[in-house]
Amino acid sequence: MRHYLLALGMLSFSFLNAQTPATSAAQVEAGIQAKAQLTETSLVKNLPFTNIGPTVMSGRVVDLAVNPNDPTEFYVGYASGGVWYTNNNGISFTPVLDNSPTQNVGDIAVDWKNGTLWVGTGEVNASRSSYAGIGLLRSDDMGKTWTNMGLKDSHHISRILINPNNPDEVVVGVAGHLYSTNAERGVFKTVNGGKTWNKVLFVNDQTGIIDVAVDPNNFNNMYASAWDKDRKAWNFRGSGAGSGIYKSTDAGNTWTKVSVANSGFPTGEGVGRIGLSVVDANTVYAIHDNQDRRPDMGGGRGNGGLTKNDFKGMAKSAFLSLEDSKLNAFLRENRFPQQYQASNVKQMVRSGSLEPEDLALYLEDANSQLFDTPVIGAEVYKSTNGGKTWKKTHEGYLDDLYYSYGYYFGMIHVDPSNADNIYVYGVPILNSKDGGKTFKFIGGDNVHSDHHALWINPKKPGHLINGNDGGVNISYDDGKTWMKNNSPSVGQFYAIQVDNETPYNVYGGLQDNGVWKGSSTNTESTRWQASGQYGFESIMGGDGMQIQVDSRNSDIVYTGFQFGNYFRLNLGTGDQKRLSIRHKLGERPYRFNWQTPILLSPHNQDILYLGGNKLMRSMNQGDDFEAISGDLTTGGKKGNVAYGTLTTISESIFQFGMIYTGSDDGLIHLTRDAGGSWTNVSSGLPNDLWVSRVEASKHKKARVYASLNGYRWDDFSPYVYVSEDFGATWKNISSNLPASPVNVIKEDPKNMNVLYVGTDNGAYVSVDRGQSWHPFSEGLPNVAVHDLIVHPDASELVLGTHGRSIYKADVSMLQAISADVMNSVVIKGLDPINHSRRWGASFGKWYDAFEPEVTVDFYSPAAGKATVTITNAAGVEVQSMQVQADKGFNTMNYDLSMSSKAQKALSKDKSAGVYPAQNGKYYLPKGDYTITIKAGGSSASSALSLK
């Protein structure tokens, strides 16, 4: 099949081609204020969201703050899930950051003498979803209220140290922007509780402070580690000459670099992330992610086998003289398709259609550059003279600790009661009893990998609290056994999906926690620990990605993990088939995004689309694929991160083969003939932004929506667009959306005027197709929303958040709203209720009475008092009440009781079924009733039936 890329004949103005700068702190602040103001007037501020979990897999922990005098009391900081508090050793937790404008956490610190809680916002682990913060927050009432104490352009705060003898003296390490340079990074200090700050250490505008550690006996003596890094969407340089260790002997007022030439600590371009732990005035440990290359030990496997590097620069004659058995072994070990055997590959080289180097190029992409790079990796150093000189504590390499992503870890801890008892962690957690000479693994079956925080009880050796990508674990025997403490809903979802079962199931792919499936009716509680039946189940490992469910059979599920590794699952039989998508020998490897997009065709559920840099299509449920496009990106960029990849796919329900794709480098393409030809429809859109979603309308064939995302430029502006002509022209409908990158836009399946967007700081709805936006807030914190979907039958909006698991809300009233009724009261219809004689009674004297409750949802055209009356079939008023209504959607709860006046009147008729309940209330008897609500000069009624 031939594929044609047609340029759309529209001129782009120069301002569209210019890359926008990083969003300023003032713009972020304005966005926070704008969202607060919008929330006050939002039509949907009372529309309630319910969290349905899951909790057991948790999310990434970044810090712990433990009361040293009572270790059952501690705070946990989650990367994008806020701060949670427990005072019962983790049996239960309470969120304490929900009243702040962010859930993004870098570090926490507590002055346990007076209860002051400090939160440095913005995670510092430099991952794909390490969201920027808004500065340094302080609470003096355990999180009820928060004050921003400054450093608002810091983005990512690594460490907070409070002087135990003077809580107004605080030293803060700031990593700075992740994707751009900035000046507000380094070490900052206040002596007046955060009213003013002094920058006391600054290296340069791309080097920040990743750790600050203090002598436990002397606050004047502290060390700071600088990290020189540069992250882009296509490349991550995790080391640089600006990295190093600094020391202060005056409580952070002045600093001297101690990791200098001849100190014994590495210097130069290979110095990566450094973690620190101070024992006393003389002794300090450091763990270093050394990005220098390992010395060449001769190459090869040591067993005579071939490696891909052997083919680089290999002459044709040398290739043709290779033994067939060795060449075939190489081809099979590296998963070349079976069609490639030594004999025909040699013939391809002999004929000139292939070069020997092509066998190496076949295997190389950005991911191989990242994972195959032979760097030195993790090293532990120790100084016994206050940082003047350093010595590595161990011989050889600490392999299988950091693997290829040491930037993600970088912490070391020393037991306060034993200077030789140290702990380090990366993917596993390790312990050394001999000062770092040897190490042993101390994880457990119920302990997740990828560790980021550890607390060691200074009064009870072996008592550890560990934070990792899977939540919190506690050990009392130095890691021999662990208990898991995962009750908070802090899952970090990338993608969300639903099926057509009744009740429907929700599926989600999570950061480092695989793919999970659970009922939409799930309610998180501890009851499952008695029954053994948890409401969600894991169906895939790795970093969970997108999910597609066959609408004909919900047992057939397509999902997978990062970089395009997808599978077809049969959940009924347990069968699993890996989807094999291989390029041809002589072609460069396909490029797959971290979150590779997949889509089942709405026209035929046997047809599966999958996006690399080309669009792949399978006609037989993923048994085989073909590329139906050329490269639909700008071609990628040189780097160690896959780039120039497709990120989103949408096929129109109006026409088979009418498909839109979006890429991470800002291109949107359209085919109307199932891939026969393609048109670039990106003209008029900003350049180089990540196309986070393209959505073909379900209501009009020519209409299409798109959201673009500048997160990877530290550009937090919202970009949302609509086209009414198949992408030929675009209209910006970002309107009044506050500053926050947009991850998803979806059109309501029933009401074409209703749109939903998910941003890095919450979810919004528009009831006028993008002319204005209203934030959701009831029950929903300011958290990143990565994905959302509206169930077409249940009329429920499901949000996949990256930090607070899954939320749902009934949006049936939103779907019913239109310009015709915006000035009238509207009541949502009520389902019949089964009457029960148990109402008002309890199972025994130790239990509360069971009280019924019905939720009445209504729309009010104006704010003010609303009068609610309930009448029976005879027109007799049985209850009346007044509620305070806001303009927009409101919710009230009614306990089905009747007024004393009605009770007295109806009790005269013995056949009316009116009797006092055990709790003294009189409840409505069986029958038909009418609820009438009057508000804003309008009224409406709805039936209420008690069976």
Side-chain angles (χ1 to χ4, degrees):
M1 182 185 293
R2 298 178 65 193
H3 308 288
Y4 302 93
L5 293 177
L6 307 178
L8 195 64
M10 289 188 65
L11 295 176
S12 296
F13 295 102
S14 60
F15 69 84
L16 290 174
N17 293 320
Q19 175 58 48
T20 56
T23 302
S24 69
Q27 291 171 312
V28 172
E29 176 93 7
I32 292 171
Q33 295 175 357
K35 184 179 183 184
Q37 293 167 0
L38 285 173
T39 300
E40 286 298 313
T41 59
S42 173
L43 293 179
V44 294
K45 72 177 183 180
N46 297 317
L47 195 153
F49 277 80
T50 301
N51 188 290
I52 63 170
T55 64
V56 294
M57 78 295 295
S58 193
R60 186 163 65 249
V61 173
V62 294
D63 200 21
L64 301 160
V66 185
N67 186 341
N69 297 315
D70 179 8
T72 66
E73 180 184 23
F74 58 91
Y75 293 90
V76 182
Y78 293 88
S80 53
V83 177
W84 295 67
Y85 171 77
T86 180
N87 59 6
N88 55 20
N89 207 32
I91 294 176
S92 63
F93 288 87
T94 302
V96 298
L97 201 61
D98 285 11
N99 290 330
S100 83
T102 186
Q103 292 290 299
N104 305 329
V105 179
D107 192 59
I108 54 179
V110 180
D111 177 9
W112 291 102
K113 294 178 181 178
N114 59 30
T116 300
L117 173 61
W118 294 80
V119 176
T121 63
E123 186 196 6
V124 299
N125 289 320
S127 78
R128 290 168 176 82
S129 56
S130 290
Y131 294 112
I134 58 174
L136 194 63
L137 303 180
R138 172 175 166 162
S139 176
D140 296 316
D141 53 14
M142 298 185 68
K144 294 183 176 66
T145 59
W146 293 93
T147 302
N148 192 311
M149 305 307 296
L151 307 182
K152 296 180 180 180
D153 196 41
S154 58
H155 278 203
H156 303 274
I157 292 176
S158 60
R159 192 66 68 224
I160 306 167
L161 300 178
I162 305 171
N163 186 337
N165 299 314
N166 178 11
D168 286 334
E169 184 177 11
V170 181
V171 176
V172 176
V174 174
H177 291 194
L178 180 55
Y179 286 97
S180 59
T181 58
N182 77 309
E184 195 166 86
R185 58 175 74 207
V187 177
F188 293 80
K189 180 175 180 178
T190 181
V191 293
N192 54 18
K195 294 177 182 176
T196 58
W197 294 91
N198 291 321
K199 185 192 292 185
V200 292
L201 174 61
F202 176 74
V203 180
N204 59 53
D205 63 4
Q206 67 178 12
T207 301
I209 299 300
I210 192 62
D211 198 7
V212 188
V214 64
D215 183 340
N217 306 307
N218 185 355
F219 191 77
N220 287 317
N221 188 29
M222 58 182 64
Y223 296 80
S225 56
W227 188 19
D228 184 344
K229 68 181 188 306
D230 179 38
R231 180 148 203 168
K232 295 290 186 288
W234 57 90
N235 189 64
F236 188 5
R237 174 180 62 77
S239 65
S243 300
I245 302 174
Y246 293 78
K247 181 180 180 180
S248 173
T249 57
D250 55 9
N253 291 314
T254 60
W255 295 85
T256 302
K257 190 173 184 179
V258 294
S259 60
V260 295
N262 300 318
S263 68
F265 198 89
T267 60
E269 294 295 335
V271 182
R273 180 171 176 174
I274 302 168
L276 301 166
S277 185
V278 184
V279 177
D280 53 38
N282 295 314
T283 309
V284 57
Y285 286 90
I287 187 166
H288 171 223
D289 176 31
N290 194 330
Q291 289 293 297
D292 282 329
R293 300 300 182 258
R294 297 187 180 189
D296 187 355
M297 303 303 291
R301 285 185 166 81
N303 59 1
L306 294 168
T307 70
K308 68 177 181 180
N309 290 335
D310 292 332
F311 298 99
K312 294 181 178 179
M314 180 181 285
K316 181 184 292 188
S317 58
F319 181 84
L320 295 175
S321 66
L322 290 173
E323 295 178 18
D324 283 3
S325 59
K326 284 189 175 182
L327 183 54
N328 276 325
F330 171 81
L331 294 171
R332 299 292 78 80
E333 288 172 5
N334 290 279
R335 297 180 58 237
F336 281 70
Q338 285 294 326
Q339 70 193 70
Y340 298 117
Q341 302 291 330
S343 57
N344 66 331
V345 171
K346 283 185 176 181
Q347 179 56 38
M348 296 167 72
V349 171
R350 191 177 289 113
S351 67
S353 63
L354 196 71
E355 296 292 332
E357 187 177 26
D358 287 330
L359 274 77
L361 296 179
Y362 182 87
L363 300 172
E364 289 192 343
D365 57 15
N367 298 336
S368 67
Q369 293 182 46
L370 177 63
F371 291 108
D372 297 346
T373 302
V375 299
I376 292 173
E379 297 179 310
V380 175
Y381 286 84
K382 181 179 181 180
S383 174
T384 57
N385 54 11
K388 293 177 183 178
T389 59
W390 300 81
K391 184 178 180 180
K392 196 167 72 166
T393 65
H394 53 93
E395 296 181 358
Y397 302 116
L398 287 180
D399 286 331
D400 302 329
L401 178 62
Y402 280 0
Y403 292 88
S404 61
Y405 43 105
Y407 66 85
Y408 192 53
F409 309 112
M411 297 290 290
I412 184 169
H413 304 266
V414 182
D415 184 341
S417 63
N418 182 355
D420 288 327
N421 187 25
I422 69 172
Y423 300 81
V424 298
Y425 43 73
V427 176
I429 179 170
L430 308 179
N431 174 230
S432 172
K433 299 297 187 186
D434 52 17
K437 292 179 182 178
T438 61
F439 291 88
K440 68 174 182 178
F441 173 68
I442 60 166
D445 292 340
N446 63 341
V447 179
H448 199 284
S449 58
D450 292 2
H451 302 264
H452 305 283
L454 184 71
W455 179 80
I456 307 165
N457 192 333
K459 300 177 181 180
K460 184 179 176 59
H463 177 198
L464 310 173
I465 305 179
N466 170 239
N468 51 64
D469 274 12
V472 176
N473 290 90
I474 300 177
S475 175
Y476 284 94
D477 52 17
D478 209 20
K480 293 179 181 177
T481 59
W482 298 85
M483 62 181 180
K484 207 168 189 68
N485 301 79
N486 286 354
S487 61
S489 289
V490 289
Q492 296 176 293
F493 281 86
Y494 288 118
I496 212 78
Q497 190 54 265
V498 296
D499 62 23
N500 296 325
E501 300 297 319
T502 304
Y504 68 91
N505 295 298
V506 181
Y507 305 72
L510 296 111
Q511 189 277 327
D512 207 26
N513 279 289
V515 180
W516 289 68
K517 170 191 175 183
S519 173
S520 60
T521 61
N522 182 60
T523 300
E524 285 295 324
S525 73
T526 57
R527 183 174 300 171
W528 71 272
Q529 295 177 5
S531 68
Q533 302 297 314
Y534 186 62
F536 279 77
E537 63 173 327
S538 173
I539 62 173
M540 176 61 61
D543 280 80
M545 294 297 152
Q546 295 190 8
I547 310 101
Q548 292 287 290
V549 184
D550 193 318
S551 61
R552 304 163 302 186
N553 178 3
S554 63
D555 281 340
I556 305 302
V557 177
Y558 301 84
T559 190
F561 53 89
Q562 62 266 38
F563 295 128
N565 292 283
Y566 276 90
F567 299 78
R568 183 183 70 224
L569 310 179
N570 186 320
L571 301 182
T573 65
D575 292 341
Q576 183 181 102
K577 175 183 172 53
R578 189 186 188 107
L579 307 185
S580 179
I581 304 172
R582 305 303 297 244
H583 55 293
K584 295 179 180 178
L585 190 56
E587 296 180 340
R588 295 304 299 262
Y590 296 133
R591 298 184 300 274
F592 295 102
N593 194 269
W594 174 262
Q595 187 185 156
T596 296
I598 59 171
L599 177 70
L600 281 172
S601 172
H603 304 278
N604 184 337
Q605 294 283 283
D606 287 337
I607 299 177
L608 177 68
Y609 301 105
L610 187 149
N613 54 309
K614 300 177 181 181
L615 184 64
M616 317 296 171
R617 181 183 66 196
S618 172
M619 303 293 288
N620 51 17
Q621 295 185 306
D623 284 344
D624 53 61
F625 284 83
E626 65 171 336
I628 61 169
S629 77
D631 194 331
L632 297 177
T633 77
T634 60
K637 289 187 179 183
K638 185 177 181 180
N640 56 20
V641 180
Y643 186 73
T645 63
L646 296 183
T647 53
T648 177
I649 309 165
S650 182
E651 184 176 22
S652 172
I653 64 170
F654 294 100
Q655 177 185 331
F656 170 73
M658 181 175 157
I659 307 166
Y660 295 89
T661 66
S663 69
D664 58 9
D665 51 11
L667 298 187
I668 298 176
H669 282 89
L670 166 67
T671 179
R672 300 198 205 186
D673 53 11
S677 60
W678 290 84
T679 302
N680 183 340
V681 294
S682 311
S683 295
L685 296 174
N687 287 349
D688 298 327
L689 298 178
W690 194 286
V691 182
S692 56
R693 201 63 53 105
V694 61
E695 171 93 347
S697 173
K698 294 178 175 60
H699 299 283
K700 289 197 173 182
K701 184 176 181 179
R703 181 177 295 164
V704 58
Y705 295 94
S707 60
L708 284 70
N709 186 304
Y711 162 78
R712 289 162 184 83
W713 298 99
D714 285 329
D715 173 9
F716 305 148
S717 301
Y719 298 97
V720 185
Y721 296 85
V722 65
S723 172
E724 302 289 352
D725 50 16
F726 303 98
T729 59
W730 295 92
K731 176 185 176 183
N732 189 328
I733 56 171
S734 303
S735 184
N736 60 336
L737 281 174
S740 187
V742 178
N743 300 310
V744 56
I745 179 169
K746 287 287 183 74
E747 181 186 56
D748 189 273
K750 295 181 179 179
N751 186 335
M752 71 176 182
N753 294 315
V754 176
L755 305 175
Y756 308 92
V757 298
T759 77
D760 279 355
N761 197 37
Y764 297 77
V765 65
S766 173
V767 296
D768 51 19
R769 290 190 49 242
Q771 294 182 49
S772 60
W773 296 91
H774 302 269
F776 294 111
S777 59
E778 181 60 35
L780 184 68
N782 294 304
V783 65
V785 176
H786 261 225
D787 201 8
L788 58 84
I789 191 169
V790 178
H791 195 281
D793 299 324
S795 293
E796 289 185 333
L797 171 64
V798 183
L799 304 180
T801 76
H802 201 80
R804 296 296 290 269
S805 293
I806 303 171
Y807 289 83
K808 71 172 185 177
D810 183 339
V811 293
S812 56
M813 288 199 68
L814 270 173
Q815 294 176 328
I817 207 70
S818 67
D820 297 336
V821 299
M822 292 289 280
N823 295 317
S824 306
V825 172
V826 180
I827 305 176
K828 179 188 173 184
L830 297 171
D831 293 330
I833 299 170
N834 291 322
H835 191 277
S836 173
R837 294 188 65 85
R838 286 183 50 234
W839 290 353
S842 66
F843 289 108
K845 74 176 191 175
W846 308 117
Y847 302 94
D848 294 331
F850 172 74
E851 298 196 34
E853 187 175 79
V854 60
T855 299
V856 181
D857 298 318
F858 67 99
Y859 174 87
S860 174
K865 296 281 188 181
T867 301
V868 182
T869 57
I870 296 93
T871 54
N872 63 14
V876 177
E877 181 182 295
V878 294
Q879 187 61 280
S880 178
M881 65 198 82
Q882 281 196 331
V883 297
Q884 186 65 37
D886 292 305
K887 181 179 180 180
F889 299 91
N890 295 267
T891 295
M892 61 160 286
N893 294 319
Y894 169 43
D895 66 0
L896 298 177
S897 67
M898 63 174 62
S899 66
S900 57
K901 179 180 179 181
Q903 170 258 314
K904 293 175 182 177
L906 296 177
S907 294
K908 297 175 181 178
D909 183 355
K910 299 299 182 183
S911 65
V914 176
Y915 55 87
Q918 191 180 75
N919 63 355
K921 290 185 178 181
Y922 286 80
Y923 291 101
L924 300 182
K926 294 179 182 180
D928 294 323
Y929 300 86
T930 300
I931 295 180
T932 301
I933 300 178
K934 296 180 179 179
S938 173
S939 67
S941 298
S942 181
L944 170 63
S945 179
L946 271 59
K947 302 296 186 182

